[in-house]
Amino acid sequence: LALTQASIPATGIAGQPVLVKWTTKNISATATSGTGWVDGVFLSNDLVLDAGDVLLQNKTRTQNLSAGQEYMDSLLITIPSNLAGNYVLIVGTDIHNNVFEYQAESNNSKYSFINVISPPPSDLVVTSVQSPLTAIAGQSVNISYTVKNTGLNPANGSLKDGIYLSRDDAWDISDPLIAVEPVQVNLAPGGEITRNATVKLTGVGIGSYKMLVRTDILDNIVEANNANNNQVSEDTIHIDVKLLPLNVVTPDTLVNNTYLYYKIQVPDSLVGETLLVTLESDSTHASNEMYIKFGNVPSRAVFDFNHGTTLGWNQELIVPALQAGTYYLASYGNNTSGSLQIIRLKASILPFAIRSVNSNRGGNTGSVTVELKGSKFEPGMQIKLDNGATTIIASSVYYVNTTKLFATFNLLNKPLGQYTVSARKANNSLASLTNGFEIIAGSGGGFYITDNGTADPGCDPHASNGINALINISAQYPPASRRNRVIAITVFFGNSGNVDLPVPTRFVFSRDGAPLSMTVEGLTQNLQELSLEFRENNGPPNILRPGATGSITFYTKSIANMYFIVSD
């Protein structure tokens, strides 16, 4: 790579943007490869790009260059507001040396002198802030604020104003920033301007706030006093969310990549009950999410419960055991066929029920463990399969919580067909899912759990080979690496059969001396062998049930040929 041209202005104003352009060309006989590289613009006191220079801005290049190919690019960089005098701007391509050039890095940059002019200081002050008295979280509000130049000199240039919510009259780092307004200012001494802004109240807590405005939050304008740039509204704004009533279908509009908030009130009479919230969309092209939190609005990063990991246009969320008080719900989505979608939300209390069985099919050559999801489960329940002629009681039940458990059935030589799945509590209350499970011909043997909880071999005379045939294994790793790089290798595994397997163990051997470790730090131990146990994440102990999948990531370092053998 060679940076062949660079266009850098000869002068710049402190705190203001300047446009820098450059051209990068691949002057070699081979194309670049890999995931890309980074170009950047640096501020320097000399003509050499080194660690002491200040990176002003960078840009990532993701497309490779064929031999002889070039590209032109640009960045709008901002000169620091505390500078004045003569400096050097250096444009560099591949600044992190991602592209292997073998001693051909010397033509990766160009420089030019720039004279930074610092204007005489002005003084911007926010004199008033107006906001509504009430608002709904997730929706937009209109505010207005006035900025005045109280200094002795003009204030000219680009700047950004920050709009915050504050619990008091003073700004601090904990105040949520709800909007950044880019502004072009041209104020003579004593001049003022009133601006109107529409801001969306996303990711804020419920309660009363002051609306706070900070002008020139990036110090783009040279000022005599930066401490007087803040002002709060005289009145408070009370933020609340809409109520989602129980057992009522509530239609609404979900805008792409924007939170939609509701609250659910839980009285004392519903403490301990299980809550189900469903979201149905009118678009099959949407990917939607739901999050819920007790006492405050959730986000995609902070929540108590969510919809799970499955993507889809229709979603559901379960709270296993309710507390008295207020739960806040956030819906979030993206509709690829439009900018919004019509959705229907419903919150309801679940009775004791089995809602789903996974996997809902199992073979009759060994034990089969299924995941039951439902509501108001409790430890000690009896789980069984029944088709009217045959009853099969679970040989073991692994209770997870009030909405989830795993049940293991010995299906060896059991009749094929559809079975009703039922759960019975100690008080004899019963929950059933008609035709919730089907026994089919087994895909292999291995082992089964007897009614007294002991393990016996299955009917396959080649049990070991049968088990191995049902384990799917694949790996993900980079196709190549430069020397002395740490490499992550992820092994994906799954039970492709329809009977339980004992948790499989596999060994990874390094044939040519590259180290192996489950952590990056452990590579210093230079291990040549690792043991991998193929356990389902959050699954039942000791077995890999039908359809269960998972992954394990380990690390190596390219100090030798990376040739690995996976064996049992």
Side-chain angles (χ1 to χ4, degrees), residues 200-217:
K200 186 174 286 290
L201 301 176
T202 298
V204 300
I206 308 304
S208 296
Y209 296 87
K210 293 291 187 74
M211 194 71 73
L212 185 148
V213 176
R214 298 179 64 212
T215 191
D216 192 23
I217 58 175

Side-chain angles (χ1 to χ4, degrees), residues 38 132 156 164 195 211 230 245 286 305 326 372 389 402-403 562 564:
V38 179
N156 297 309
Y164 302 78
R195 303 188 181 105
M211 194 71 73
N230 306 342
F305 303 97
T326 304
L372 269 62
T402 59
T403 64
M562 293 177 291
F564 306 109

Side-chain angles (χ1 to χ4, degrees), residues 92 116 171 216 288 354 373 390 408 442 483 491 499 525 545:
V116 178
W171 176 85
D216 192 23
N288 294 322
I354 299 173
K373 287 188 176 180
T390 302
T408 301
R483 191 168 180 83
V491 175
V499 293
Q525 300 179 30
R545 61 192 184 89

Side-chain angles (χ1 to χ4, degrees), residues 104-121:
E105 311 275 359
S106 59
N107 56 2
N108 283 18
S109 64
K110 284 189 176 294
Y111 67 87
S112 183
F113 296 100
I114 185 170
N115 180 28
V116 178
I117 300 171
S118 181

Side-chain angles (χ1 to χ4, degrees), residues 126 128-129 143-145 147 161-164 211-215 229-232:
V126 182
S128 67
V129 180
I143 74 164
S144 65
Y145 61 97
V147 176
D161 293 340
I163 301 174
Y164 302 78
M211 194 71 73
L212 185 148
V213 176
R214 298 179 64 212
T215 191
N229 286 16
N230 306 342
Q231 183 62 269
V232 296

Side-chain angles (χ1 to χ4, degrees), residues 254 259 275-280 286-293 298-320 328-334 345 355-356 371 373 403:
L254 186 59
Y259 287 105
L275 177 72
L276 169 67
V277 183
T278 59
L279 182 156
E280 295 181 350
S287 178
N288 294 322
E289 306 166 21
M290 285 196 297
Y291 304 89
I292 200 166
K293 185 172 176 60
S299 68
R300 300 173 78 191
V302 180
F303 55 87
D304 294 334
F305 303 97
N306 70 346
H307 62 284
T309 58
T310 304
L311 297 178
W313 54 93
N314 295 335
Q315 294 287 5
E316 65 178 36
L317 177 154
I318 291 180
V319 180
Y328 292 93
L329 175 74
S331 301
Y332 188 91
N334 181 57
L345 294 168
R355 305 187 65 243
S356 66
E371 178 191 59
K373 287 188 176 180
T403 64

Side-chain angles (χ1 to χ4, degrees), residues 272-276 318-321 348-356 372-378 381 399 401-405 423 425 429-431:
E273 295 288 344
T274 299
L275 177 72
L276 169 67
I318 291 180
V319 180
S348 55
I349 301 299
L350 288 177
F352 175 38
I354 299 173
R355 305 187 65 243
S356 66
L372 269 62
K373 287 188 176 180
S375 53
K376 305 187 81 171
F377 290 170
E378 62 184 34
M381 294 192 305
Y399 174 84
N401 56 40
T402 59
T403 64
K404 178 179 175 180
L405 60 81
K425 293 185 178 182
S429 57
L430 183 69

